[in-house]
Amino acid sequence: MGRKSALAGWLRELDAPGLKDVLALRRDAADTRPRSLRALADELSTASSLRLAVEGLDRGCRDVLDAVLALSTAAGSVGAGAGEVGVDVLAESLRCNGKAGRAELKRALAELRARALVWPVGDLLCVAPNLRPTALEPPRRITPAPRTPRRVVQNRVFADRAATAFATSTVDGVTRLVDLCDGEVVSARGGVGVRELRRISALLRADEARTRLWLELAVEARLLAAADCDRRVVPTTRSDAWRGAPPSDRLAVLAKAWPRMVWQPGKSRPALADPLSCGDVTRRGVLEQYARLGEDEAFEHRHEVVAELAWTRPAFHSAVVTEAALVEAEAIGLVALGAVTALGRAVLAGRESEVADRFVPPAVTTALLRPDLTAVVGGLPDDEVSSVLDLAAEAAEGGWRFTGSSVRRALDAGHTPDRLLARLASIAEHGVPQPVERLVREVARRHGRISVTAVASCVRADDPELLTEIAGHRSLTPLSLQLLGPTVLASAKPADETLALLRAAGYAPTAEGVVDRTPRRRVEPPPRKVPAWRRWRASLTDQELGKLAVALLERERPRPRLMPPRVESKRLTTARLLRDQSLVLPDSEVVLLAEALVTRTSVEIAVADGPRTTIRHVITPVDHAAGNLTANGPHGEQREFLVGHIRSVRPVD
């Protein structure tokens, strides 16, 4: 008998609660709504269903399963029944000699039986078909469960306060990364390579691991995407609204995206290049583990948490991967000081936007410009502060620093010294210090030996004399018009302002004669990819699982032939015969007489005695044959009556 047949036979031996337990642990097979136990055995034996079942096992159960598979393979090779292993042989193979070892083996076998992976057949164990060992070598003993992580009492406010700095740093880092990808070319051929990642890290003043997290967070939040045409990372159409949103809204988007990241944490590889993996299960598992703590509790040692996760779900958690996922959770502000924060609990509940404002301060609209040519911002800078400081200063540790090259960069962009100082004064908390103003004036004095004109739009005309007249018009001085060619003027103002001033001066320009700047590049965020084996399917409820278990067992039971009860069959046969032998009795009286004959009850009959007279008798019918009714009288005498002579039948009061 094959293993599938053996599995179907074992399922037939279960009762309804036992079969329901199997369906509850193997919901992927139950969701297909099998029509028979044989069909259920086929679903339980598919590769995808077996993979999901094995992924839910702890390390001890996987050790026992690997040992059973190794022994069953060896037994099949020497001619024994393939897939059948003795319990005593298994216990000796895993050195379960003591009481604790036997108890652990019993627990693991019960878990494997509940998942229909290994089940008993007499004194032997049968293994589900299509199973493969999860380890290269069979285990020599069952891996013991690690120590339960110790907990300590800790006010939950402490964790929220400690997470604020990390959450703020992540929001600031992702914001600067999106701005960087808007101006820099970030190559993504086969993913963002290690060398490119190090270059970006240097520009952002961050370590490689943190930059990798920011990049993958931005891609998962659909703020950045790899353009297919030239394989570079560019902002998406969603990034502008995200950058203009308050810091709390930006944090909520990043916190929501983190559990969905499918890249495996802690793996040294090019960013964005991994295929879909189980990283989302790992990250959510870490967060759910910390969410089991009480409101005012924390884990004392993080290595104990990592060890427990690695033993409980070895398919998704290893020591390295779990530790890396925990570091990521701390960097976003979901975990801090050994406890889950309010933001972490809100992410699991899908309400991260309700508490995000408690983990990042509001955007700062001013900066402190210091006499030592540095600038600092007490929080997250808004768009204006960031743009001004990025324009006129170099990014440095803890803020920005004004240098000759940074000021020259601002002047090269078309700013005059007065305009640059005015923009700095608009964001300066205590004004522009004299050393900063002196630096700007000194760089501006040496600037301009080679002239570079800032062109915001162009004015074209077929008449060169008309363009000469426009260039010398006094009311058009704000446009800073310069002749680029016989028929082209360069304007320092955008197209709409240039049109307005030309029309105010009495000219009639058309919009097609003005060429505006090229807009910044944006791409549509790609749709999220979901693995085929994780597509959504409506799972059965517990009540539906119970009904399915009962229905499957009912279909396997032999069905009896549908026959009426013996008494009912005799009654129908007697009534049919009496009906054929009496042509004058109504159907109701025929049924009454048949009932009396079957149940031996008394009735009153009227028997014909001549053409127009009848005689009434109270009788108890006892037999009926050949058209004659044999009955007992009131005093026990027995008489016979022709059924054809009976004219009426009435019940006796």
Side-chain angles (χ1 to χ4, degrees):
M1 180 173 60
R3 292 192 188 183
K4 284 188 181 180
S5 300
L7 177 57
W10 174 71
L11 293 174
R12 293 188 185 96
E13 298 175 0
L14 300 177
D15 55 4
L19 184 58
K20 178 186 175 182
D21 293 340
V22 173
L23 295 174
L25 290 173
R26 303 288 295 274
R27 283 185 178 269
D28 59 298
D31 290 342
T32 61
R33 294 170 173 82
R35 303 294 298 175
S36 64
L37 290 178
R38 176 66 189 193
L40 176 60
D42 292 339
E43 292 294 335
L44 294 175
S45 303
T46 60
S48 59
S49 180
L50 290 172
R51 182 180 64 249
L52 293 177
V54 173
E55 286 176 351
L57 298 175
D58 57 45
R59 172 54 61 187
C61 292
R62 294 186 74 164
D63 290 340
V64 173
L65 179 61
D66 288 340
V68 172
L69 290 172
L71 292 174
S72 65
T73 303
S77 63
V78 297
E84 296 181 353
V85 179
V87 178
D88 294 336
V89 175
L90 176 64
E92 178 146 2
S93 172
L94 293 173
R95 303 178 184 177
C96 299
N97 301 321
K99 185 177 180 181
R102 287 280 182 174
E104 180 62 17
L105 177 61
K106 183 179 179 181
R107 181 200 70 84
L109 289 176
E111 182 68 20
L112 295 174
R113 177 185 178 275
R115 295 179 181 271
L117 298 174
V118 175
W119 61 90
V121 180
D123 295 334
L124 300 176
L125 298 174
C126 192
V127 188
N130 302 327
L131 268 180
R132 297 292 182 268
T134 59
L136 297 178
E137 296 183 0
R140 297 183 177 181
R141 62 177 66 248
I142 302 176
T143 304
R147 177 175 183 172
T148 302
R150 287 166 285 184
R151 305 184 180 188
V152 294
V153 178
Q154 178 179 275
N155 194 322
R156 61 179 180 272
V157 178
F158 295 160
D160 293 349
R161 289 177 180 174
T164 302
F166 295 99
T168 304
S169 174
T170 299
V171 174
D172 178 59
V174 176
T175 304
R176 291 189 290 115
L177 174 63
V178 174
D179 292 337
L180 177 68
C181 294
D182 198 8
E184 289 277 339
V185 176
V186 179
S187 177
R189 297 183 180 275
V192 180
V194 177
R195 181 177 298 179
E196 183 74 357
L197 200 61
R198 290 174 180 171
R199 184 182 71 87
I200 300 173
S201 302
L203 295 175
L204 295 175
R205 310 179 311 280
D207 57 83
E208 184 180 339
R210 190 176 298 269
T211 303
R212 184 190 302 273
L213 173 61
W214 294 345
L215 181 59
E216 293 175 349
L217 267 177
V219 172
E220 183 61 40
R222 306 177 76 188
L223 305 175
L224 295 176
D228 294 332
C229 56
D230 52 1
R231 302 305 300 170
R232 55 172 290 195
V233 180
V234 295
T236 65
T237 54
R238 297 164 53 100
S239 62
D240 294 327
W242 181 82
R243 284 191 289 181
S248 59
D249 294 345
R250 285 182 270 169
L251 175 62
V253 171
L254 299 179
K256 183 179 180 180
W258 180 75
R260 299 196 306 260
M261 289 168 53
V262 295
W263 296 280
Q264 191 176 33
K267 184 178 179 182
S268 180
R269 42 139 181 84
L272 312 181
D274 262 3
L276 292 175
S277 63
C278 301
D280 54 340
V281 182
T282 304
R283 292 178 173 89
R284 181 167 286 274
V286 169
L287 199 55
E288 290 174 347
Q289 178 76 2
Y290 275 85
R292 296 189 182 99
L293 291 168
E295 289 290 337
D296 292 319
E297 284 185 337
F299 287 121
E300 186 175 4
H301 301 290
R302 62 188 296 157
H303 70 271
E304 294 179 350
V305 182
V306 173
E308 184 180 45
L309 282 171
W311 187 86
T312 306
R313 298 292 298 277
F316 305 113
H317 294 277
S318 65
V320 176
V321 169
T322 306
E323 180 69 27
L326 183 54
V327 171
E328 291 181 359
E330 291 174 338
I332 303 174
L334 308 178
V335 176
L337 301 181
V340 62
T341 64
L343 181 61
R345 295 185 185 276
V347 167
L348 291 176
R351 299 194 303 269
E352 56 279 340
S353 58
E354 299 177 6
V355 300
D357 57 345
R358 293 158 47 184
F359 290 84
V360 285
V364 178
T365 58
T366 59
L368 178 61
L369 306 185
R370 295 173 173 174
D372 60 352
L373 301 180
T374 60
V376 293
V377 178
L380 289 175
D382 64 357
D383 291 342
E384 179 63 19
V385 174
S386 296
S387 62
V388 173
L389 292 179
D390 289 340
L391 173 69
E394 300 286 353
E397 187 69 26
W400 289 263
R401 174 174 293 278
F402 294 96
T403 62
S405 59
S406 65
V407 174
R408 189 177 299 108
R409 182 178 65 241
L411 297 177
D412 290 341
H415 287 73
T416 63
D418 294 336
R419 183 183 176 188
L420 179 59
L421 290 173
R423 291 195 66 184
L424 289 174
S426 66
I427 66 166
E429 185 175 354
H430 301 295
V432 180
Q434 286 187 356
V436 175
E437 182 178 358
R438 201 161 39 242
L439 175 64
V440 172
R441 298 293 185 187
E442 179 65 22
V443 173
R445 186 178 61 82
R446 299 192 304 268
H447 187 267
R449 294 179 180 178
I450 300 177
S451 177
V452 177
T453 303
V455 178
S457 59
C458 294
V459 180
R460 181 180 58 81
D462 295 333
D463 187 359
E465 295 182 1
L466 176 60
L467 287 183
T468 304
E469 176 185 344
I470 292 174
H473 204 290
R474 290 186 177 181
S475 62
L476 299 178
T477 303
L479 296 179
S480 301
L481 296 173
Q482 297 186 21
L483 193 64
L484 298 181
T487 59
V488 179
L489 280 176
S491 172
K493 296 293 183 180
D496 52 352
E497 297 183 25
T498 302
L499 284 170
L501 288 176
L502 286 172
R503 287 166 181 165
Y507 297 98
T510 59
E512 66 179 6
V514 181
V515 181
D516 202 355
R517 286 179 176 176
T518 304
R520 290 185 174 183
R521 183 179 179 185
R522 296 291 183 268
V523 296
E524 289 294 331
R528 293 192 178 95
K529 296 181 180 179
V530 180
W533 56 276
R534 281 198 199 164
R535 285 176 185 161
W536 180 87
R537 176 188 288 165
S539 295
L540 298 176
T541 62
D542 290 342
Q543 184 178 6
E544 291 173 334
L545 288 176
K547 292 181 179 179
L548 178 60
V550 172
L552 290 174
L553 292 177
E554 287 293 333
R555 293 191 188 104
E556 298 294 329
R557 292 177 180 174
R559 298 183 179 180
R561 294 193 311 172
L562 296 178
M563 298 180 62
R566 184 176 180 182
V567 174
E568 187 67 21
S569 177
K570 187 176 181 180
R571 183 182 292 110
L572 293 175
T573 304
T574 303
R576 189 180 302 111
L577 292 175
L578 292 174
R579 175 74 278 172
D580 295 339
Q581 297 167 2
S582 176
L583 301 177
V584 296
L585 286 177
D587 291 342
S588 60
E589 296 182 8
V590 171
V591 173
L592 180 60
L593 183 59
E595 181 73 21
L597 183 59
V598 173
T599 60
R600 305 294 175 89
T601 57
S602 299
V603 292
E604 182 183 1
I605 63 174
V607 183
D609 185 24
R612 297 182 180 274
T613 60
T614 58
I615 300 176
R616 295 187 176 275
H617 303 275
V618 176
I619 63 171
T620 303
V622 295
D623 196 9
H624 169 249
N628 293 326
L629 180 67
T630 303
N632 295 329
H635 304 291
E637 70 277 11
Q638 194 174 65
R639 299 184 59 180
E640 288 188 358
F641 302 93
L642 289 173
V643 177
H645 290 179
I646 299 176
R647 296 293 181 261
S648 67
V649 181
R650 295 180 181 178
V652 177
D653 295 337

